[in-house]
Amino acid sequence: MDTTETLLLPPGGSTIAGDVDALFYFIVYASIAIFGIVLFGIVYLGLKYRGRKAAADGTTPGITHSTRLELAWSIIPAILVIIVFVWGFNVYMKMNIIPGDVMEVKVTAQKWFWSFDYPDGVNTVNELVVPLGKPVKLLMSSRDVIHSFYVPAFRIKMDVLPNRYTLTWFEATAIGSYDIMCAEFCGDRHSEMLGRVRVVSEREYKEWLESGTETAEGATPVDYGRALFRTKACHTCHNVDGTSAVGPALNGIVGKQRPLAGGERVTVDENYLRESILEPQSSIAAGYQPVMPTYQGMLNDKQVDALIAYIKSLK
Ligand code: CUA
């Protein structure tokens, strides 16, 4: 376990963090040492030979070379790069060979949020909940452009591409909450494409999984919709206070006429809302960019119903 906060990196929270840090600081300190030696040489030689008289005929004395010096500045850096290569290769293999007994989570990136699908049907947005001390394999893909899944505390970063899966894994070593960032410029709100990894105990994780599937039961559709509005990240693009964001505000729109980008007008009703959630490109509100991702396959009917109920309740 490595939880030491270092000068340049946040406290490590995964099994790989210690290895990455050790190599990283080896390279940093070796670079500083070489920089120091070169700087010393420049200053020392500059002072030593400053203003020295030239030979009588004005020429520089014949200097051929120094075998000892040349061997030293060839062999020492060669040894350093070999150390970094072998060491780096080992850590790289450790990061890329996924252990056998893993829990697999599907990660989907899209402008501008992360969604996580767990094996038993639970799904979350912008929050990855994992048990402590259990290797987690992430199977990742993007619905639009290239993103990059980055958890600084875990020292993992992997590109997330459309039309292809990429893989990474980690094993968390400390209970807590860690930043997820997108490390590939992916548009306007790239910098807001943030999430959290919440590491909990094995028991808490089981409880969370069980309760995760039951949010719908018991809650009223409006309350469930309100929760989904946050957990499915609708709020990252839609305000409910009448102000425009990436998308139109969603309060007080039901029953009203809305001009579309094509020039026609529609009345906002349940079917229009449903279509806008599942096929957002089909009727774009005038004045907005067609950037909303489809929620087809990410929401079941009950969840769509709940979101519509919530939007209808907004005045
Ligand atoms: Cu997604 Cu930057």
Side-chain angles (χ1 to χ4, degrees), residues 110-152:
Q110 64 195 87
K111 293 192 268 183
W112 286 275
F113 59 92
W114 304 98
S115 40
F116 303 101
D117 287 280
Y118 295 78
D120 20 18
V122 177
N123 54 71
T124 58
V125 167
N126 287 343
E127 189 188 51
L128 173 61
V129 181
V130 296
L132 179 72
K134 169 122 182 121
V136 180
K137 168 181 165 185
L138 303 176
L139 177 66
M140 309 196 285
S141 64
S142 165
R143 290 192 155 206
D144 38 48
V145 298
I146 302 178
H147 302 269
S148 179
F149 185 85
Y150 179 34
V151 184

Side-chain angles (χ1 to χ4, degrees), residues 250-265:
L250 296 181
N251 54 314
I253 61 167
V254 177
K256 304 262 168 62
Q257 291 270 309
R258 173 175 289 270
L260 297 182
E264 63 273 47
R265 302 174 76 81

Side-chain angles (χ1 to χ4, degrees), residues 112 114 146-148 182-186 190 193:
W112 286 275
W114 304 98
I146 302 178
H147 302 269
S148 179
C182 178
E184 186 73 50
F185 182 69
C186 55
H190 154 72
M193 192 166 166

Side-chain angles (χ1 to χ4, degrees), residues 30-253:
S31 305
I32 291 173
I34 292 170
F35 173 74
I37 293 167
V38 171
L39 196 69
F40 173 80
I42 291 171
V43 172
Y44 172 76
L45 295 172
L47 288 174
K48 185 170 179 206
Y49 294 103
R50 183 169 57 113
R52 202 179 64 163
K53 290 203 177 57
D57 61 358
T59 58
T60 309
I63 301 164
T64 55
H65 68 283
S66 159
T67 306
R68 270 196 306 175
L69 191 61
E70 285 170 13
L71 284 176
W73 79 41
S74 302
I75 292 171
I76 295 170
I79 292 173
L80 281 174
V81 246
I82 291 168
I83 292 174
V84 170
F85 171 74
V86 174
W87 191 346
F89 186 73
N90 270 307
V91 178
Y92 175 84
M93 292 310 273
K94 218 166 151 180
M95 291 176 101
N96 282 274
I97 296 175
I98 297 171
D101 177 31
V102 284
M103 168 188 136
E104 185 177 304
V105 178
K106 173 72 181 54
V107 178
T108 308
Q110 64 195 87
K111 293 192 268 183
W112 286 275
F113 59 92
W114 304 98
S115 40
F116 303 101
D117 287 280
Y118 295 78
D120 20 18
V122 177
N123 54 71
T124 58
V125 167
N126 287 343
E127 189 188 51
L128 173 61
V129 181
V130 296
L132 179 72
K134 169 122 182 121
V136 180
K137 168 181 165 185
L138 303 176
L139 177 66
M140 309 196 285
S141 64
S142 165
R143 290 192 155 206
D144 38 48
V145 298
I146 302 178
H147 302 269
S148 179
F149 185 85
Y150 179 34
V151 184
F154 293 174
R155 312 292 191 260
I156 57 164
K157 184 194 275 175
M158 182 57 74
D159 276 6
V160 184
L161 308 160
N163 308 320
R164 186 197 295 188
Y165 292 120
T166 50
L167 296 170
T168 190
W169 76 279
F170 65 84
E171 181 182 327
T173 53
I175 287 190
S177 178
Y178 305 92
D179 289 321
I180 299 171
M181 296 175 183
C182 178
E184 186 73 50
F185 182 69
C186 55
D188 285 15
R189 310 189 98 196
H190 154 72
S191 63
E192 291 166 49
M193 192 166 166
L194 303 169
R196 306 288 287 173
V197 185
R198 193 151 61 84
V199 179
V200 297
S201 68
E202 186 88 26
R203 188 175 50 81
E204 251 182 285
Y205 175 73
K206 289 221 171 70
E207 287 169 6
W208 175 83
L209 263 192
E210 278 153 25
S211 69
T213 49
E214 284 164 11
T215 326
E217 324 302 331
T220 66
V222 172
D223 285 341
Y224 185 36
R226 181 180 298 114
L228 287 169
F229 195 75
R230 284 202 73 80
T231 58
K232 299 295 174 186
C234 310
H235 70 292
T236 58
C237 294
H238 292 285
N239 293 338
V240 293
D241 60 1
T243 58
S244 285
V246 172
L250 296 181
N251 54 314
I253 61 167

Side-chain angles (χ1 to χ4, degrees), residues 247-303:
L250 296 181
N251 54 314
I253 61 167
V254 177
K256 304 262 168 62
Q257 291 270 309
R258 173 175 289 270
L260 297 182
E264 63 273 47
R265 302 174 76 81
V266 287
T267 303
V268 177
D269 59 8
E270 287 85 350
N271 278 315
Y272 174 74
L273 290 174
R274 184 184 170 83
E275 182 200 67
S276 296
I277 294 169
L278 299 178
E279 295 162 36
Q281 305 300 325
S282 55
S283 311
I284 302 294
Y288 293 93
Q289 294 296 313
V291 293
M292 178 164 160
T294 174
Y295 277 80
Q296 196 91 54
M298 293 180 66
L299 296 171
N300 60 34
D301 276 349
K302 190 161 187 170
Q303 293 172 317

